[in-house]
Amino acid sequence: MDFSNWLFWNVDTQKDFVEPDGKLYVEGAENLKNKWKELTEFAEKKMIRVVNSADHHFYNSPELDSSPDFIKTFPEHCMAGTEGADYINETAPEDPVIFDWNKEYLITPEILDLNKYRNFIIRKDAFDVFSGNQWTKKILKMINPDTVVVYGVTTNVCVDYAVKGLNRKVKNIIVIKDAIKELPKIPLPFENWEKKGVKLIPLDVFFKMVG
C-alpha cells in the first residue's frame, strides 16, 4: 500500500494529560499508551510523516485560570520548559522539526525531504492548532496529504479542533476511535464528525484496512 500521501496527526499526547500525576490528567488516557505506540511504530516502519501537536503555555495564556471552569479555562498544564509538556515515551517524536507558535520561521520545500524530516512538532497556545500556531496551515499545505489519521487527547477539545481544521483542507480523515480520550462536562463531537464524512474506526480495523 502506498502511504506517500498519508499523514499521521498525533494530538497532545503529553505527560500532563496522560500520566495520572499530570497537571490536567485525562482519566483513562494512560490505557491508550500501547495503541499510540503501535501507531507511532507503524508510521516509522512505513515512513509516514507525523504532525505532533503540543500544548505549550506560558503563565499569561488565555486558557489558564486559577478558578477554571474545565470547559473554556483550565488549570496550569503543559507549561513551557516543564516535564509535563513533554510527550510520553510511546509517542515521543524521533528527530523532530519544531515550530513554536511565538517564533518566526522560513519554511522552504526542503521540509518535504522525508528522509530528513518525518516528524514535526507544532506547539500551540490554544485549543485549536490552526489558530494556535500560525505555521500549521502552511505546513499542511506543503505536505498536501490525501489522508490524515488522527489520534490523541482530548476527543472533545483539541482533537475536535484538529479534525475540524483538517476537514477544511484534506479529502480523507480517519480518527482512531479507541486511540482518543475525552474530558468530562464537554459534549462529544462524533455526530458532527460523521456529518462531515470523517471515518471513525478502531485500531484493529484500521490495521486490517491498511494491510
Side-chain angles (χ1 to χ4, degrees):
M1 191 168 183
D2 183 10
F3 294 101
S4 59
N5 288 322
W6 284 54
L7 176 66
F8 277 22
W9 201 278
N10 167 32
V11 182
D12 301 6
T13 53
Q14 296 164 269
K15 293 180 181 179
D16 267 349
F17 296 125
V18 178
E19 301 295 355
D21 61 352
K23 290 186 176 181
L24 189 50
Y25 168 58
V26 180
E27 186 174 357
E30 75 276 20
N31 297 325
L32 305 183
K33 285 183 177 181
N34 286 339
K35 295 183 187 297
W36 291 333
K37 182 179 181 181
E38 289 183 61
L39 286 160
T40 303
E41 291 175 346
F42 183 83
E44 181 180 6
K45 180 181 178 181
K46 300 296 185 180
M47 286 295 288
I48 298 171
R49 291 183 180 89
V50 184
V51 166
N52 306 269
S53 68
D55 268 15
H56 193 74
H57 299 305
F58 296 94
Y59 289 103
N60 61 348
S61 173
E63 76 176 59
L64 303 183
D65 198 305
S66 58
S67 300
D69 60 15
F70 288 91
I71 298 174
K72 294 295 184 182
T73 57
F74 295 89
E76 288 180 10
H77 62 277
C78 299
M79 305 303 291
T82 66
E83 185 178 349
D86 294 339
Y87 290 97
I88 57 172
N89 293 336
E90 289 79 3
T91 61
E94 181 182 8
D95 298 324
V97 183
I98 300 173
F99 294 94
D100 283 304
W101 60 267
N102 57 343
K103 294 183 180 178
E104 294 293 323
Y105 299 94
L106 177 62
I107 302 178
T108 67
E110 185 183 8
I111 71 166
L112 298 179
D113 185 341
L114 191 55
N115 293 311
K116 290 183 179 179
Y117 310 109
R118 191 179 65 81
N119 272 296
F120 303 90
I121 292 177
I122 300 180
R123 292 174 173 163
K124 57 190 174 69
D125 187 38
F127 303 138
D128 185 355
V129 68
F130 288 91
S131 63
N133 188 306
Q134 60 179 314
W135 306 108
T136 307
K137 291 178 183 177
K138 182 167 186 176
I139 293 165
L140 181 63
K141 184 177 180 180
M142 291 184 73
I143 297 173
N144 192 30
D146 288 334
T147 301
V148 179
V149 177
V150 182
Y151 50 94
V153 289
T154 62
T155 305
N156 42 2
V157 185
C158 294
V159 173
D160 185 34
Y161 275 104
V163 169
K164 288 188 289 189
L166 288 165
N167 187 251
R168 301 184 187 103
K169 306 289 183 181
V170 180
K171 181 180 179 181
N172 302 308
I173 300 171
I174 298 170
V175 178
I176 307 301
K177 66 185 297 184
D178 52 352
I180 54 176
K181 193 66 179 175
E182 73 280 356
L183 282 170
K185 296 173 59 177
I186 303 172
L188 291 168
F190 301 138
E191 184 177 346
N192 188 45
W193 290 355
E194 290 177 3
K195 288 179 180 178
K196 294 179 180 295
V198 175
K199 295 178 182 177
L200 192 65
I201 59 176
L203 186 59
D204 59 345
V205 173
F206 171 74
F207 281 140
K208 288 177 184 177
M209 182 182 77
V210 297

